[in-house]
Amino acid sequence: MATQESETLPDAYDDLLSRYERATYIGDAAGVLSWDQEVVMPEGGTPARSKQTSALSGARHDVLTSDAFAAALEEAEAADLPDRETAVVREIRREYDRAAKVPKELVERISEETSNALPVWKEAKAEDDWSHFAPKVETLLDLKRQYAEHIDPDADPYEVLFADYEPWLDLEQAEAILEQLRDELVPLIDELNDAGADLAAPFDGTYPEDDQFALAESTLDYLGYPDDHGRLDTAPHPFSSGTQFDARVTTRFDESDPVGAIGSTVHEFGHATYTLGLPREEYGNPLGQNRGLSVHESQSRLWENHVGRSREFYDGYVGIVNEELGTDVSAREAYEAANQLYPDNLIRVEADELTYHMHIILRFEIERDLLSGELAVEDVPQVWNEKMEEYLGVTPDTDGVGCLQDIHWAHGSFGYFPTYSLGSVMAAQLFEAAEDDIDGLHDDIAAGDFDALHEWLTENVHRHGRRYRTNELVREATGEDFSADAFVEYANAKFSDLYGL
Amino acid sequence: MATQESETLPDAYDDLLSRYERATYIGDAAGVLSWDQEVVMPEGGTPARSKQTSALSGARHDVLTSDAFAAALEEAEAADLPDRETAVVREIRREYDRAAKVPKELVERISEETSNALPVWKEAKAEDDWSHFAPKVETLLDLKRQYAEHIDPDADPYEVLFADYEPWLDLEQAEAILEQLRDELVPLIDELNDAGADLAAPFDGTYPEDDQFALAESTLDYLGYPDDHGRLDTAPHPFSSGTQFDARVTTRFDESDPVGAIGSTVHEFGHATYTLGLPREEYGNPLGQNRGLSVHESQSRLWENHVGRSREFYDGYVGIVNEELGTDVSAREAYEAANQLYPDNLIRVEADELTYHMHIILRFEIERDLLSGELAVEDVPQVWNEKMEEYLGVTPDTDGVGCLQDIHWAHGSFGYFPTYSLGSVMAAQLFEAAEDDIDGLHDDIAAGDFDALHEWLTENVHRHGRRYRTNELVREATGEDFSADAFVEYANAKFSDLYGL
């Protein structure tokens, strides 16, 4: 869909772009099938769906790895291209190299097996039975190990898989950030727990799902989510998917916890807003694609935490909550409710901003050991529970609220979790920069006016697509190297204040 | 997905099948995208969706027309195969021949343009303005003419396009049936109108959409539609789509006309039941695919008309209607309401069983003249209205209830309409055979027991997939050649009785 001014660009570049775009379109079609499978597909549809997604993976792979594609790529690389187009070719080269090394049969097999694994994970979760899901994990781990081996037989398979989700940060940098988080947050969490605080917990009733759905709709509307380019649905594991033309969100509801639904809705809104901010005229090529999962998560966490869990946000927003839920909660009470620390919480997606990262570190360690073979699949529940006790001081009663809680392994997504922490700390750094650049940002947020923030994010992050590598993008947007410093500072200040340290 | 006992079959056959199955899976993925576009996609998603569907059309075309596919096909044809496999190869050959003649660019272009045309048709219909839609029709007609020309430059383009929907009945046979219908039905309709009849019209209130949706759900349940292999949604133009694992239906509601929603629900149920009756173990190959649109329509019309508009059906069913709508209608009254003749009705999908065919003949004639160039696109409203007056004695006030009422042209589906009449007459012939074969069928229907009928249809129609050509399938199932005789006899008897002729 590129509308490059291409008169000065070589034909090979145009040819390459049109081939690459075709691959994107097929990949995005697979995204629609995946949305469908998770949101609306009847259970019995799985066998056909697995075949369909597998065929699309194969078709996309065929396009990306054809001789003509390779020839166009080489010719485009040999040409003297402007910076922008050089970046496009760099991104396509990276994707080509990874695709070309993996046999199509394996790509199709992974796709089919992940589609098959999804209902089994659901059953296992409902039955609280890891052993029901374990054979699927075994299969997927094995396939993903093969996949990593094809791409780089000499590398740590975890590192290879991680790069599928975050292409331009090396694992060493990611690990350093996780370590910094652990080192800084563990003592802070201890201190806060010791201090204790009598934060308001005003949502102590039962809030029917219908009311919460209406609240989620109003929330999206309040934040500026466009009706004609998205939709809201319910899914057991909330997610966002789509394109800059159609970026959908899902959310989930717990009748006793409307704060959770608000957080999850604002989070997915952040993802969708990034997607919608990608340039439409570049749809299909790297300039119209998101920069990877760390940056994606920075957008969801920025809205969820730095906007949606801020004191000033509730000034304007609490009225909507009260209207939709029939409550009579003050802005301060709602703010405190949104920022309770729950050290005994078992569920990652319900975690507060601090303990969240302990959940990530746990998963990172387990996945690494699973991939290296150091940890057997059958031992996951035991190790999970031990680590929960060690990092969070709490042990899950069942696999359902323990090692079966996340959908990621059913998707075959090993190596994905660190991007959650990376995105969270990136969010803090970006928000700090936005605060510097936007006069009166906090007043705007209090007034429910998000235009300047939207504009800043579009200008500094969204519109670039994959123009810059991850570290470059952060530097372009903030003037600083990517680090966890802003997050640590933010977390210390916010929670010290809340807990009166 | 074939699980043929393939030890005695040549490798080329297996290779051919697996290639063909890949094409089916991609085609079915496109079907999911199309369902999504019509049922859940936000409006603004169109530009991306058009690219995605076009890429899938191209990918499917690539698979079907590759040299390896052609080689496997030739080798399989040269082998001495059993009847069943010979039929499979016959069907694949037919599809290959049509695909290979059409350039991929044209296939993709048609796909993209139809996806783009859909929202324009919706706008035009809402605005009652044919001229807004006309340029899209012009484009699609032109592309479809090119398409037909590639397949057979010497044939009538209408005939070529018709064969996309009904591969094994020639247009001459179809025209003969349409003529027979006109010749038999016009005098019958006149006679019935002259006779007049005081049929009950008990649904004279307003029936909220929610109640009608609940009625549609209960109706599907009553007929035996499986929850875990389908779903019900609302769409402006009801349709059914999917696979034997996941066959979905949509329906529509008019608050003043619950009878219409019942008919449309039962109709789409019939389609879905056919799809679900295709053998699961053959998913992806011709033995697991429907026999074309005439046979498909025979299944929807059989349920809609011969079951759902029968006197005995309402014995068991009327209780559900009364419960969901809060009415107090007798079985006889509901039966009469479902069989009102509406000679002044403008809308095909709301037509009674007799005038329905006049709507089809009108569209058939207009499409033929559009394709041949005899009729200009801009003149469609005028000709439509003239023919409505001629065949049905009524003139539409606006394009919205006239030439813009059907979605088919926005899908680029020229040549599709005759299959509606062919299916309707086939339904009568099949139902007559089922009546002969099933003891107490009418009592079963009165009791809401559809097992024997389901079984008969599965045994005689569904399970065969594309094993037989259309005429062969009818002969296999009924022992008679395909004709409109059973329909004409049925229509005469039923309506003479209702109108006391």
Side-chain angles (χ1 to χ4, degrees):
Chain A
M1 216 164 169
T3 52
Q4 310 281 346
E5 287 172 26
S6 56
E7 57 259 50
T8 62
L9 298 170
D11 288 349
Y13 179 82
D14 290 340
D15 181 34
L16 176 66
L17 224 60
S18 100
R19 290 176 188 279
Y20 181 82
E21 284 169 355
R22 180 188 299 270
T24 306
Y25 302 149
I26 297 173
D28 286 349
V32 176
L33 264 62
S34 165
W35 179 92
D36 183 274
Q37 181 167 8
E38 281 177 46
V39 179
V40 295
M41 191 186 84
E43 240 178 278
T46 309
R49 181 55 45 88
S50 307
K51 295 293 184 188
Q52 293 155 6
T53 51
S54 161
L56 295 195
S57 294
R60 179 173 175 278
H61 190 266
D62 280 346
V63 174
L64 273 184
T65 60
S66 72
D67 293 344
F69 191 98
L73 177 56
E74 274 176 37
E75 210 182 313
E77 283 175 323
D80 185 25
L81 296 171
D83 286 354
R84 217 173 117 88
E85 284 71 23
T86 301
V88 167
V89 173
R90 172 195 72 213
E91 295 291 327
I92 295 179
R93 159 61 68 188
R94 185 181 174 284
E95 223 168 314
Y96 170 80
D97 278 348
R98 291 177 75 90
K101 286 175 180 164
V102 183
K104 180 178 170 187
E105 292 64 37
L106 182 57
V107 171
E108 292 185 327
R109 183 86 201 287
I110 289 173
S111 177
E112 184 169 352
E113 289 296 341
T114 54
S115 187
N116 281 328
L118 200 61
V120 179
W121 167 70
K122 279 187 194 158
E123 289 159 16
K125 191 177 177 187
E127 294 160 11
D128 270 325
D129 181 8
W130 174 258
S131 71
H132 182 58
F133 183 46
K136 292 283 172 198
V137 176
E138 200 81 71
T139 303
L140 288 169
L141 271 174
D142 179 48
L143 293 172
K144 283 293 199 163
R145 264 191 225 107
Q146 291 177 39
Y147 171 89
E149 168 113 18
H150 280 292
I151 290 174
D152 187 348
D154 302 321
D156 168 11
Y158 190 92
E159 196 163 353
V160 176
L161 297 180
F162 170 71
D164 265 356
Y165 309 107
E166 175 41 69
W168 295 115
L169 293 177
D170 59 34
L171 190 58
E172 209 176 317
Q173 190 181 358
E175 282 191 78
I177 284 176
L178 289 179
E179 268 165 41
Q180 186 184 355
L181 288 175
R182 190 175 46 212
D183 295 348
E184 299 273 0
L185 294 181
V186 168
L188 175 62
I189 294 168
D190 283 348
E191 213 181 337
L192 294 168
N193 282 335
D194 289 347
D198 198 18
L199 295 193
F203 299 103
D204 53 1
T206 298
Y207 305 92
E209 193 167 316
D210 283 356
D211 292 354
Q212 292 199 45
F213 193 87
L215 173 57
E217 282 183 313
S218 300
T219 303
L220 291 175
D221 196 41
Y222 185 71
L223 294 167
Y225 182 66
D227 265 1
D228 52 343
H229 289 283
R231 51 179 288 133
L232 169 68
D233 294 275
T234 308
H237 198 291
F239 68 101
S240 155
S241 72
T243 68
Q244 46 267 63
F245 294 92
D246 173 9
R248 305 178 187 182
V249 299
T250 64
T251 189
R252 73 189 156 72
F253 305 102
D254 172 345
E255 296 210 328
S256 67
D257 178 27
V259 175
I262 292 169
S264 141
T265 303
V266 179
H267 180 96
E268 300 306 334
F269 165 80
H271 280 305
T273 297
Y274 179 24
T275 305
L276 290 170
L278 296 166
R280 292 205 177 141
E281 66 279 12
E282 304 293 350
Y283 175 54
N285 82 61
L287 297 174
Q289 292 177 306
N290 71 71
R291 176 59 297 173
L293 292 194
S294 307
V295 174
H296 226 310
E297 190 73 4
S298 79
Q299 299 307 292
S300 58
R301 296 295 267 178
L302 185 146
W303 285 94
E304 178 189 6
N305 293 337
H306 298 272
V307 177
R309 277 167 160 165
S310 72
R311 172 63 189 81
E312 57 272 18
F313 176 67
Y314 281 95
D315 281 345
Y317 176 66
V318 75
I320 291 174
V321 177
N322 285 329
E323 195 179 316
E324 297 290 2
L325 300 184
T327 47
D328 183 23
V329 169
S330 73
R332 174 80 205 180
E333 288 169 327
Y335 167 63
E336 291 187 10
N339 286 290
Q340 285 279 5
L341 291 187
Y342 296 105
D344 58 349
N345 164 58
L346 296 163
I347 308 296
R348 178 182 59 82
V349 296
E350 294 170 6
D352 58 75
E353 285 178 80
L354 305 183
T355 57
Y356 186 87
H357 301 285
M358 303 300 117
H359 291 273
I360 298 304
I361 290 165
L362 173 155
R363 285 155 178 77
F364 167 63
E365 292 172 353
I366 288 181
E367 285 188 347
R368 247 193 122 144
D369 293 349
L370 277 172
L371 277 162
S372 72
E374 228 167 280
L375 172 62
V377 172
E378 60 182 5
D379 295 333
V380 165
Q382 189 198 328
V383 173
W384 183 286
N385 293 356
E386 283 165 12
K387 285 186 189 283
M388 280 298 288
E389 190 58 47
E390 184 188 343
Y391 298 152
L392 289 154
V394 57
T395 303
D397 283 337
T398 69
D399 296 347
V401 294
C403 58
L404 282 168
Q405 67 182 263
D406 288 308
I407 202 169
H408 301 65
W409 296 341
H411 282 157
S413 299
F414 303 98
Y416 184 125
F417 284 113
T419 65
Y420 286 136
S421 285
L422 295 170
S424 298
V425 305
M426 196 185 294
Q429 188 171 348
L430 289 170
F431 193 74
E432 195 181 70
E435 282 175 314
D436 287 346
D437 287 351
I438 304 171
D439 281 345
L441 174 59
H442 293 264
D443 294 340
D444 285 355
I445 291 175
D449 176 357
F450 307 105
D451 287 353
L453 182 57
H454 271 302
E455 211 176 292
W456 191 93
L457 290 169
T458 306
E459 177 66 21
N460 289 285
V461 181
H462 307 175
R463 78 180 169 95
H464 295 307
R466 299 188 178 171
R467 172 75 173 80
Y468 302 107
R469 299 179 186 88
T470 309
N471 281 320
E472 292 163 355
L473 181 66
V474 174
R475 175 156 271 289
E476 282 283 327
T478 69
E480 308 276 347
D481 283 341
F482 176 39
S483 87
D485 296 346
F487 176 77
V488 169
E489 194 185 324
Y490 154 82
N492 267 299
K494 177 174 182 176
F495 286 93
S496 297
D497 175 62
L498 265 165
Y499 279 71
L501 289 191
Chain B
M1 217 166 169
T3 53
Q4 310 280 348
E5 288 173 24
S6 57
E7 57 260 50
T8 62
L9 297 172
D11 288 349
Y13 180 81
D14 291 340
D15 180 34
L16 176 65
L17 225 59
S18 98
R19 289 176 188 279
Y20 182 83
E21 285 169 355
R22 180 188 299 272
T24 306
Y25 302 149
I26 297 172
D28 286 349
V32 176
L33 264 62
S34 164
W35 179 92
D36 183 274
Q37 180 166 9
E38 280 178 44
V39 180
V40 294
M41 191 186 85
E43 241 177 278
T46 309
R49 182 55 44 88
S50 307
K51 295 294 184 188
Q52 294 156 6
T53 51
S54 160
L56 295 194
S57 294
R60 180 173 175 278
H61 191 265
D62 280 345
V63 174
L64 273 184
T65 60
S66 73
D67 293 346
F69 190 98
L73 177 56
E74 274 176 36
E75 210 181 314
E77 283 175 325
D80 184 25
L81 296 172
D83 286 355
R84 216 174 118 87
E85 285 71 23
T86 301
V88 168
V89 173
R90 172 195 73 215
E91 295 291 329
I92 296 179
R93 159 61 67 188
R94 186 183 172 282
E95 224 167 314
Y96 170 80
D97 279 348
R98 291 177 75 90
K101 287 176 181 162
V102 183
K104 180 177 170 188
E105 292 64 36
L106 182 57
V107 171
E108 291 185 328
R109 183 84 203 287
I110 289 172
S111 178
E112 185 169 351
E113 289 296 341
T114 54
S115 188
N116 281 328
L118 200 61
V120 179
W121 166 71
K122 280 187 193 157
E123 288 158 16
K125 192 178 176 186
E127 295 159 12
D128 270 324
D129 180 9
W130 173 259
S131 70
H132 182 57
F133 183 45
K136 292 282 171 198
V137 176
E138 198 81 71
T139 302
L140 287 169
L141 271 174
D142 178 48
L143 293 171
K144 284 291 199 164
R145 264 191 224 107
Q146 291 177 37
Y147 171 88
E149 168 112 18
H150 281 291
I151 291 175
D152 188 347
D154 301 322
D156 169 10
Y158 190 92
E159 195 163 355
V160 176
L161 297 181
F162 170 71
D164 266 357
Y165 309 108
E166 174 43 68
W168 295 114
L169 293 176
D170 60 34
L171 190 58
E172 210 176 316
Q173 191 181 357
E175 281 191 77
I177 285 177
L178 289 179
E179 268 166 40
Q180 186 184 354
L181 288 175
R182 190 176 46 210
D183 294 349
E184 298 274 359
L185 295 181
V186 168
L188 175 61
I189 293 167
D190 283 349
E191 213 181 336
L192 294 167
N193 282 334
D194 289 348
D198 198 18
L199 296 192
F203 299 103
D204 53 1
T206 298
Y207 305 93
E209 192 166 317
D210 282 356
D211 292 354
Q212 293 199 44
F213 193 87
L215 174 57
E217 282 184 314
S218 300
T219 303
L220 292 175
D221 196 43
Y222 184 72
L223 294 167
Y225 182 68
D227 265 2
D228 52 344
H229 289 283
R231 54 177 287 134
L232 170 68
D233 293 274
T234 308
H237 198 290
F239 68 100
S240 154
S241 72
T243 69
Q244 46 267 65
F245 294 92
D246 173 9
R248 306 179 186 180
V249 298
T250 62
T251 189
R252 72 187 157 74
F253 305 103
D254 171 344
E255 297 209 326
S256 67
D257 179 26
V259 175
I262 293 169
S264 141
T265 304
V266 178
H267 180 97
E268 300 306 335
F269 164 80
H271 280 305
T273 297
Y274 179 24
T275 305
L276 291 170
L278 296 166
R280 291 203 178 143
E281 66 279 13
E282 304 293 350
Y283 174 55
N285 81 63
L287 296 173
Q289 293 177 306
N290 72 70
R291 178 55 301 169
L293 293 193
S294 307
V295 174
H296 227 311
E297 190 73 4
S298 78
Q299 300 305 293
S300 58
R301 296 295 267 178
L302 185 145
W303 286 94
E304 179 189 7
N305 293 338
H306 297 272
V307 177
R309 278 169 161 163
S310 71
R311 172 63 190 82
E312 56 272 18
F313 177 67
Y314 282 94
D315 282 346
Y317 175 66
V318 75
I320 290 173
V321 177
N322 285 329
E323 197 180 314
E324 298 291 3
L325 300 185
T327 48
D328 183 23
V329 169
S330 73
R332 174 80 205 179
E333 287 169 325
Y335 167 62
E336 290 187 11
N339 286 290
Q340 287 278 7
L341 292 187
Y342 297 105
D344 57 349
N345 164 58
L346 296 164
I347 309 295
R348 179 182 60 81
V349 296
E350 294 169 5
D352 59 75
E353 285 179 78
L354 305 184
T355 57
Y356 186 85
H357 300 286
M358 303 300 118
H359 290 273
I360 298 304
I361 291 165
L362 172 154
R363 285 155 178 78
F364 167 64
E365 292 171 353
I366 287 181
E367 286 188 346
R368 250 194 119 144
D369 293 348
L370 277 172
L371 276 161
S372 71
E374 228 165 281
L375 172 61
V377 172
E378 60 182 6
D379 295 334
V380 166
Q382 188 199 329
V383 173
W384 183 286
N385 293 357
E386 283 166 12
K387 283 185 188 282
M388 280 298 289
E389 190 59 45
E390 183 186 344
Y391 298 152
L392 290 153
V394 55
T395 302
D397 283 338
T398 68
D399 296 347
V401 294
C403 57
L404 281 167
Q405 68 182 263
D406 288 308
I407 201 169
H408 300 66
W409 296 341
H411 281 159
S413 299
F414 303 98
Y416 184 125
F417 284 113
T419 66
Y420 285 136
S421 285
L422 295 169
S424 297
V425 306
M426 197 185 293
Q429 189 172 348
L430 289 170
F431 193 74
E432 194 181 71
E435 282 174 313
D436 287 346
D437 287 352
I438 304 171
D439 281 344
L441 174 59
H442 292 265
D443 294 340
D444 286 354
I445 291 175
D449 177 358
F450 307 105
D451 288 353
L453 181 57
H454 271 302
E455 211 175 292
W456 191 93
L457 291 169
T458 306
E459 178 66 20
N460 290 285
V461 181
H462 307 175
R463 78 180 169 95
H464 294 308
R466 299 188 179 171
R467 172 76 173 78
Y468 303 107
R469 299 179 185 88
T470 309
N471 281 320
E472 293 163 355
L473 181 67
V474 174
R475 173 157 271 287
E476 282 284 327
T478 69
E480 308 276 349
D481 284 341
F482 177 40
S483 87
D485 295 347
F487 175 77
V488 169
E489 196 184 322
Y490 154 82
N492 268 298
K494 177 175 181 176
F495 286 91
S496 296
D497 176 63
L498 265 166
Y499 279 70
L501 289 191

